[in-house]
């Protein structure tokens, strides 16, 4: 998996509150451009965010589904963007000694054309995008 991390100077419960608000995803997930709907029980296992990916008018309509969750600690997702495929995305939150949160984001294409690439090749595309995603997440947490 391609893995990136950032330290956010806010406690894990504040960071998790943003992860648990599916309506914020288009504001910090690089590539997500519009949230059409969020299942009422997000982020419980099996719940979904219905989103658009890409620039208008060439947007793909798809969804992201929760694989597993440990509130305040981790969130595992299957993010779809057909025809490109499905990626497994994992967020892990760890408290830091100064009261902040270390956020680790790991992603790997698990189906579709992206899964045909070796993990090292996937990382060339995913690491810069996910680094920007975490910077945006930090901004949303800081200004919420």
């Amino acid at each position: 998996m391609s893995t990136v991390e950032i330290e956010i100077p806010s406690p894990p419960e504040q960071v998790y509150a943003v992860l648990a608000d599916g309506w914020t995803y288009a504001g910090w997930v690089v590539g997500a451009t519009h949230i059409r709907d969020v299942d009422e029980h997000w982020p419980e296992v099996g719940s979904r965010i219905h989103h658009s990916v890409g620039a208008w008018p060439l947007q793909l309509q798809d969804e992201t589904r929760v694989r597993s969750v440990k509130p305040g600690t981790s969130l595992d997702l299957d993010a779809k963007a057909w025809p490109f495929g499905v990626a497994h995305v994992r967020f892990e939150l760890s408290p830091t000694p100064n009261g902040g949160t270390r956020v680790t984001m790991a992603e790997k294409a698990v189906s579709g054309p992206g899964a045909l690439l070796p993990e090292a090749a996937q990382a060339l595309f995913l690491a810069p995008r996910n680094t920007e995603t975490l910077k945006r997440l930090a901004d949303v947490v800081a200004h919420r």
Side-chain angles (χ1 to χ4, degrees):
M1 294 186 97
S2 174
T3 303
V4 296
E5 61 184 27
I6 191 171
E7 186 172 327
I8 298 177
S10 299
E13 55 272 7
Q14 288 181 359
V15 177
Y16 184 77
V18 174
L19 295 178
D21 182 355
W23 289 103
T24 68
Y25 272 56
W28 58 271
V29 174
V30 173
T33 56
H34 177 73
I35 304 302
R36 299 185 322 276
D37 194 20
V38 177
D39 287 357
E40 187 175 315
H41 54 283
W42 176 269
E44 293 177 13
V45 172
S47 62
R48 299 169 295 166
I49 295 174
H50 306 271
H51 56 76
S52 302
V53 177
W56 184 89
L58 303 174
Q59 292 180 322
L60 301 171
Q61 310 298 312
D62 234 316
E63 66 184 33
T64 294
R65 180 182 306 268
V66 177
R67 292 171 53 116
S68 68
V69 61
K70 292 182 183 171
T73 304
S74 66
L75 182 62
D76 284 316
L77 308 170
D78 280 332
K80 296 180 183 178
W82 285 103
F84 304 108
V86 176
H88 176 201
V89 183
R90 179 173 177 81
F91 293 94
E92 293 182 350
L93 310 179
S94 304
T96 60
N98 61 356
T101 306
R102 177 165 312 285
V103 181
T104 303
M105 179 181 181
E107 182 173 0
K108 178 182 177 181
V110 294
S111 70
L116 299 174
L117 294 172
E119 286 189 35
Q122 289 185 37
L124 292 174
F125 298 101
L126 296 175
R129 182 179 70 92
N130 292 345
T131 297
E132 177 63 19
T133 290
L134 291 184
K135 288 178 184 177
R136 293 179 185 188
L137 173 64
D139 288 342
V140 171
V141 172
H143 295 97
R144 189 169 184 154

